[in-house]
Amino acid sequence: MSCVTVTLTLPDWLFERLDSPDQATLEHLVVEALMADFPRTGRDEASRWLGLGD
């Protein structure tokens, strides 16, 4: 499996609002947020990959 590295710059207030997560947790939160938005954009196949859809 290949992967892509993405760099995000978050303001301090947002990082603190997320309870200052460690890197692994922050990565999980970002991927979770992206996946949650997929159905709205018509990319519902991601839900099936994760076992979240029908």
Side-chain angles (χ1 to χ4, degrees):
M1 172 169 70
S2 63
C3 59
V4 175
T5 300
V6 177
T7 302
L8 295 173
T9 302
L10 299 176
D12 290 338
W13 67 265
L14 179 55
F15 185 72
E16 291 168 4
R17 181 77 187 255
L18 295 171
D19 293 328
S20 304
D22 60 33
Q23 183 172 344
T25 302
L26 184 57
E27 290 171 358
H28 181 85
L29 290 171
V30 169
V31 170
E32 209 173 58
L34 286 170
M35 300 303 283
D37 195 48
F38 274 17
R40 183 189 64 80
T41 62
R43 298 182 179 122
D44 60 351
E45 72 277 2
S47 296
R48 288 194 307 270
W49 296 338
L50 295 174
L52 301 175
D54 295 334

